[in-house]
Amino acid sequence: MKRKKVIWLFKTERKSREDLSAAAVFWYGVLENMGYEVVYQNYYEYNAEEFYNSAKAYNPDFIICANYMDYIHTEFQRLREFSKVFLLTSDMHRFYESNVKFWIPFVDGIINFEGTKEWALRDGLSEKGFLKMRWGFNPNTMTTNVSEKTNEIYHYGGLHGNRQELLGQFQIKGKNVLVNQDIFYEEVKQNLAESKYSICFSQNAVGDRQELKGRVIEIPAHSVLLTEYAPELKEYYNDDEMILFNSVDDAIEKINYYNSNQKEYDKLLHNGKRALWNRNTAYHEWNKILPNMDEDFKPLDVIKLLKEKHGDYYYE
């Protein structure tokens, strides 16, 4: 059967340096391994007329554009002359009224993580076009070799919200946390692999709600997920696959317990990694929503695909 064509439009690398963008980390390589022919277009180089002409010549079956909350690309309506068009957006809850809802007339569907279906249907999106998925581990970009655990606790990413204050509390209470904000992604993975625990805070940037963060599906590939509560977290992991804490004192008490019980730590690390590969990959998530995007798509045996495409890292 002829492979269907997809154009991904997202920032393929960081603007400040030659490193994978967040979008590339999460999505690169997945649809190819699921049977599609994929072309990546760099959003930094987007020109509406040039993109229209090149896309029309390529004649894709669908186009997926990441939402950077900068513009509403009304010109995407023209792309629907020859292709289905989908918006992929994070932060849909926070930016729905100021941005996301204005895309609805110009796309066939919105792929999202924390959107509210009732809002989108109210504003004209079709039921089939509301494509909610979970964050998914991407073995094409997120794997690395196993390393000796030489660091206890790690945190990477921005220090917005209450993160700085909470990290300070760990320090005051005698727990040094290795903190990185802006380093190459290969370094992030190496630090994860060398750390026993990695923290995931869940308060959003403006401090008004708890949100599930994408790192919940990065961390367990390498270290134990040490996380605050977040909505839908239990859809990813059971209690014996992560450490859930409600305060810094609670986190430290649990860390000390596992530090004193190596077999229990090893079991926790194993359980989290197994859960990640068996239930929480990007392939699992695309396998669920692709039937609503592509009427010819037949769900795949994801475990078989993982073993075939990522056998060197697959964990069970």
Side-chain angles (χ1 to χ4, degrees):
M1 179 185 289
K2 184 179 179 181
R3 282 157 56 103
K4 289 197 172 184
K5 299 178 180 179
V6 180
I7 296 178
W8 261 116
L9 178 61
F10 60 58
K11 297 175 182 177
T12 56
E13 60 185 31
R14 293 180 181 270
K15 195 170 187 178
S16 58
R17 60 171 181 262
E18 292 184 3
D19 191 19
L20 292 177
S21 67
V25 167
F26 279 96
W27 309 122
Y28 181 78
V30 176
L31 293 179
E32 296 94 312
N33 286 338
M34 299 183 78
Y36 292 91
E37 179 182 310
V38 182
V39 169
Y40 295 92
Q41 295 282 343
N42 192 344
Y43 186 80
Y44 284 125
E45 299 170 356
Y46 175 74
N47 173 280
E49 195 62 28
E50 291 177 3
F51 183 80
Y52 173 83
N53 290 330
S54 64
K56 188 174 183 178
Y58 181 63
N59 193 30
D61 293 277
F62 49 94
I63 297 166
I64 308 171
C65 177
N67 186 10
Y68 294 102
M69 309 297 174
D70 49 1
Y71 300 104
I72 311 298
H73 289 288
T74 60
E75 72 277 10
F76 278 18
Q77 180 65 37
R78 294 179 66 203
L79 300 173
R80 298 169 77 187
E81 297 169 4
F82 54 82
S83 176
K84 291 183 180 179
V85 179
F86 298 92
L87 180 73
L88 187 148
T89 187
S90 60
D91 293 318
M92 185 168 174
H93 187 279
R94 179 181 169 195
F95 292 105
Y96 182 78
E97 290 295 333
S98 63
N99 179 280
V100 178
K101 74 176 185 180
F102 298 108
W103 283 89
I104 290 174
F106 310 108
V107 296
D108 293 279
I110 298 178
I111 305 165
N112 67 93
F113 305 94
E114 68 288 311
T116 301
K117 186 176 183 179
E118 290 74 16
W119 296 356
L121 298 186
R122 175 197 68 199
D123 293 323
L125 189 68
S126 70
E127 182 109 13
K128 197 173 181 179
F130 185 82
L131 300 163
K132 189 169 184 177
M133 69 192 309
R134 304 183 310 156
W135 293 103
F137 171 69
N138 184 359
N140 296 286
T141 57
M142 295 179 180
T143 51
T144 194
N145 295 324
V146 175
S147 296
E148 182 183 354
K149 300 295 186 187
T150 56
N151 179 61
E152 186 178 27
I153 310 170
Y154 181 48
H155 178 269
Y156 63 102
L159 296 180
H160 52 259
N162 63 349
R163 295 179 185 182
Q164 189 89 51
E165 176 188 350
L166 293 173
L167 289 169
Q169 289 182 32
F170 276 96
Q171 184 78 29
I172 291 169
K173 297 175 187 293
K175 290 294 185 182
N176 293 319
V177 181
L178 174 62
V179 177
N180 294 139
Q181 292 188 70
D182 188 23
I183 61 174
F184 286 96
Y185 192 64
E186 287 300 319
E187 295 177 87
V188 170
K189 291 190 292 184
Q190 188 62 37
N191 288 336
L192 281 169
E194 294 174 357
S195 300
K196 294 186 70 174
Y197 313 91
S198 185
I199 302 174
C200 183
F201 298 121
S202 60
Q203 187 179 96
N204 69 4
V206 295
D208 62 358
R209 68 192 298 262
Q210 304 295 107
E211 293 178 345
L212 198 71
K213 303 299 180 182
R215 60 178 59 85
V216 301
I217 52 77
E218 294 178 282
I219 291 170
H222 313 291
S223 60
V224 166
L225 174 62
L226 177 66
T227 180
E228 291 183 308
Y229 165 80
E232 303 176 358
L233 181 63
K234 290 300 184 73
E235 293 182 13
Y236 292 75
Y237 304 108
N238 299 321
D239 289 340
D240 63 348
E241 297 167 342
M242 62 179 174
I243 297 176
L244 184 62
F245 69 91
N246 55 38
S247 68
V248 172
D249 287 334
D250 184 38
I252 291 174
E253 181 180 346
K254 291 173 178 176
I255 288 170
N256 289 340
Y257 168 79
Y258 284 106
N259 285 347
S260 300
N261 295 273
Q262 186 62 40
K263 287 185 178 180
E264 290 297 309
Y265 172 83
D266 292 341
K267 183 179 179 181
L268 184 63
L269 182 65
H270 163 75
N271 289 348
K273 192 170 184 178
R274 182 177 59 186
L276 189 73
W277 281 92
N278 289 345
R279 305 196 303 268
N280 297 320
T281 73
Y283 295 110
H284 287 92
E285 296 310 302
W286 284 103
N287 208 39
K288 295 172 188 174
I289 70 168
L290 277 170
N292 285 330
M293 300 171 64
D294 176 2
E295 61 275 8
D296 297 319
F297 178 79
K298 300 293 187 294
L300 305 174
D301 182 335
V302 173
I303 299 302
K304 181 180 178 182
L305 184 154
L306 288 167
K307 290 178 178 179
E308 289 176 352
K309 301 294 185 180
H310 305 286
D312 290 344
Y313 293 101
Y314 179 73
Y315 193 86
E316 59 185 338

